[in-house]
Amino acid sequence: MADTPIYQLVKDALRAKIESGALLAGDMVPGEEQIAADFNCSRLTAHRALRELADEGLVVRRRRAGTQVAPRDGGGVLIRIPSVREEIEGRGFAYRYELLTRRHAAPAAVIAEALGAAQGERHLNVVGRHWADGRVFQHDTRWINLAQVPAALDVDFSEVSANHWLLENVPYTGVDHEISALAADGRAAEALEVAAGTALLRIERVSRLGDRPITHASMLHPGALFSLKSERR
Amino acid sequence: MADTPIYQLVKDALRAKIESGALLAGDMVPGEEQIAADFNCSRLTAHRALRELADEGLVVRRRRAGTQVAPRDGGGVLIRIPSVREEIEGRGFAYRYELLTRRHAAPAAVIAEALGAAQGERHLNVVGRHWADGRVFQHDTRWINLAQVPAALDVDFSEVSANHWLLENVPYTGVDHEISALAADGRAAEALEVAAGTALLRIERVSRLGDRPITHASMLHPGALFSLKSERR
DNA sequence: CCACGGCATTTGTCTTTACAAATTGAACCC
DNA sequence: GGGTTCAATTTGTAAAGACAAATGCCGTGG
């Protein structure tokens, strides 16, 4: 016997109707009272099912107007970027982090702006590489906003990667990304051990606590060798 | 007066404690009874607040063991890829779609496999370009699985982009992505109106209904000119 | 015909009450 | 000491009742 909760049964039934096309965008979904009658449950149970579907974006609810199937987003798609380590080990390679440099210096103007920091202010710069077996998988240039995370100055990042330490020790509320492709110049080619001119995938990431930037990371991948794979929904 | 619902007040209070670091990963969160007493509300209201925080991944709940702050994901980051049109118009450019070719043919082996189709089976191939003002923003090669979407054969994609038509007319349950960088070969360079060898950003997307692939899309961006920007959470 | 207002409907939140399910921790037996 | 059983605690789901808030609809009046 199915001991799946009733609200879940209701959700599944409605979801099936929507995904099968039996209910199209804009169509009215039965009201809470109606569903409660159909499934022989209380209005609260029907309400919960509809509310959760609304939270997931499948339906739109308005008082008095009732519930209708949400218009297909048309908009975007959510993808998940796994952590480097997860990505590498998921492909069956051995993971290794190598610290290249760690210095206390003033970042370039672009970076300073991204960090919301004053020009010339000194912050922490950590540069490292993530290896997949014998090949460089990612080159990681990170600036840590010392105004937000002064404790980072006391950390030696030779053992822990900056990414890892930050995740463990610094709370954040949001992350902004920018993904682009570029051709490797001399320095990048050397760092990644590829030929100059190779196409690289670059991910720039600013993590924030509220609206205060915590870190700026610039991650480079040899794009011809590896690719980021993301999952559904 | 604040007419924000009580469960929301509870959520905000706990979220604040977690994000400020007052509660660290692994720390116990007060139980439902305790919260109900603290906020002078019913257990169900406290339950709803905790349940929603658990749905959002901030806390972990186990019967008898109680509720504790979830370990920081460490894992991945969710980003949102906006639709091409949204992306272009969001930057203030005029959007235009141009159909290049539309043919009924057998895809290459790799594509056929991604579509879950038999070798040599004919499907619908739609190739087009998305323009931002006078420049090519994206080149889009799409294969539509006719076993799943036979109706696509009757559509002339000169007016509507394939992406748009599919979103409007075909339900899907999941999308898989792969993002990579590559250097433009002759044909790609011509299609995107860039110099050969320019670094390109490529997004490959397979959309599914259940586990049956609907479409395979290969999207190329001139990476030096444009980049994808994603939003928080 | 149009503008305004009130009414009825539908969703949103909350309380109280109840029982089920999971799991920890302790008592218990061997 | 080690494994097993049992009970208490905590979360999960549900019902019924109640009132609040939003808003589409219709009727009224101009």
Side-chain angles (χ1 to χ4, degrees):
Chain A
M1 10 187 237
D3 56 348
T4 52
I6 304 176
Y7 77 89
Q8 191 64 50
L9 295 177
V10 177
K11 283 180 68 177
D12 291 346
L14 289 175
R15 199 198 305 277
K17 278 194 179 164
I18 293 172
E19 289 178 354
S20 73
L23 284 174
L24 297 176
D27 285 357
M28 293 303 302
V29 171
E32 300 183 353
E33 296 280 10
Q34 186 58 49
I35 288 178
D38 291 350
F39 286 81
N40 192 31
C41 65
S42 77
R43 186 173 81 90
L44 187 70
T45 302
H47 172 71
R48 177 169 175 187
L50 289 174
R51 175 164 49 78
E52 293 193 357
L53 287 176
D55 287 346
E56 292 169 25
L58 267 88
V59 300
V60 174
R61 317 194 71 197
R62 270 158 44 235
R63 278 165 164 141
R64 164 76 218 209
T67 303
Q68 47 184 321
V69 178
R72 200 67 61 48
D73 218 5
V77 184
L78 277 183
I79 70 171
R80 177 170 173 280
I81 300 186
S83 73
V84 206
R85 177 165 200 157
E86 193 182 334
E87 179 80 13
I88 291 174
E89 292 179 342
R91 291 161 189 261
F93 299 113
Y95 171 80
R96 188 168 67 84
Y97 175 72
E98 172 199 14
L99 174 67
L100 293 176
T101 63
R102 178 196 182 282
R103 63 205 180 95
H104 187 199
V110 192
I111 308 280
E113 194 193 332
L115 284 179
Q119 192 82 1
E121 206 171 60
R122 300 208 303 167
H123 292 285
L124 193 61
N125 179 223
V126 179
V127 181
R129 292 194 286 193
H130 302 266
W131 292 78
D133 279 353
R135 291 200 276 194
V136 180
F137 182 81
Q138 187 184 88
H139 181 266
D140 182 338
T141 306
R142 189 169 300 256
W143 285 92
I144 301 174
N145 189 336
L146 287 176
Q148 300 299 326
V149 197
L153 251 190
D154 303 326
V155 181
D156 166 25
F157 290 103
S158 59
E159 289 304 314
V160 221
S161 85
N163 199 353
H164 192 261
W165 183 84
L166 286 162
L167 277 170
E168 292 277 308
N169 295 278
V170 186
Y172 65 91
T173 58
V175 195
D176 296 328
H177 285 88
E178 196 161 311
I179 304 180
S180 56
L182 75 169
D185 61 13
R187 274 203 309 188
E190 192 179 344
L192 288 167
E193 303 189 346
V194 296
T198 303
L200 303 179
L201 187 64
R202 176 176 55 192
I203 304 177
E204 300 210 51
R205 170 184 298 176
V206 176
S207 67
R208 294 176 284 100
L209 177 59
D211 54 0
R212 294 185 301 281
I214 304 286
T215 63
H216 177 281
S218 177
M219 295 166 279
L220 289 176
H221 284 261
L225 270 182
F226 300 100
S227 64
L228 282 174
K229 191 160 185 188
S230 67
E231 288 146 32
R232 76 206 177 94
R233 241 231 105 136
Chain B
M1 299 292 281
D3 56 349
T4 51
I6 303 176
Y7 75 89
Q8 190 64 52
L9 293 177
V10 176
K11 283 179 68 178
D12 291 347
L14 289 176
R15 198 199 306 277
K17 278 194 180 164
I18 294 172
E19 289 177 355
S20 72
L23 284 175
L24 296 176
D27 285 358
M28 293 304 301
V29 171
E32 300 184 352
E33 296 281 11
Q34 186 58 49
I35 288 178
D38 292 349
F39 286 81
N40 192 32
C41 65
S42 78
R43 185 176 80 89
L44 190 69
T45 301
H47 172 71
R48 177 168 174 189
L50 289 174
R51 175 164 47 81
E52 293 192 359
L53 286 175
D55 288 345
E56 293 168 25
L58 266 88
V59 300
V60 173
R61 318 195 70 198
R62 268 158 46 234
R63 277 165 165 141
R64 164 73 218 212
T67 303
Q68 48 183 321
V69 178
R72 201 69 61 46
D73 216 5
V77 184
L78 277 183
I79 70 170
R80 179 172 171 276
I81 300 185
S83 73
V84 205
R85 174 164 203 159
E86 193 182 333
E87 178 81 13
I88 290 174
E89 292 179 341
R91 292 163 188 259
F93 298 114
Y95 171 79
R96 188 168 67 83
Y97 176 71
E98 172 198 14
L99 175 67
L100 291 176
T101 63
R102 176 194 182 285
R103 64 204 180 96
H104 187 198
V110 192
I111 309 279
E113 193 194 331
L115 284 178
Q119 191 85 359
E121 205 171 58
R122 300 208 303 166
H123 293 285
L124 192 61
N125 179 224
V126 179
V127 182
R129 292 193 286 192
H130 303 266
W131 292 78
D133 280 352
R135 291 201 275 194
V136 180
F137 182 80
Q138 188 183 89
H139 181 267
D140 183 337
T141 305
R142 190 169 301 256
W143 285 92
I144 301 175
N145 189 335
L146 288 175
Q148 300 298 325
V149 197
L153 251 190
D154 303 327
V155 181
D156 167 25
F157 289 103
S158 59
E159 291 301 315
V160 221
S161 85
N163 198 353
H164 192 261
W165 183 85
L166 286 162
L167 277 170
E168 293 277 309
N169 295 278
V170 185
Y172 65 91
T173 57
V175 195
D176 296 328
H177 285 88
E178 196 161 312
I179 303 180
S180 56
L182 74 169
D185 62 12
R187 274 202 310 186
E190 192 179 345
L192 288 167
E193 304 190 344
V194 296
T198 303
L200 303 179
L201 187 63
R202 176 174 57 191
I203 304 178
E204 299 210 52
R205 169 184 299 175
V206 176
S207 67
R208 293 176 285 100
L209 178 58
D211 55 359
R212 295 184 300 282
I214 304 285
T215 64
H216 176 282
S218 177
M219 296 166 280
L220 290 175
H221 283 261
L225 270 183
F226 302 98
S227 64
L228 282 174
K229 192 162 182 186
S230 67
E231 289 145 32
R232 74 206 178 95
R233 242 237 105 137

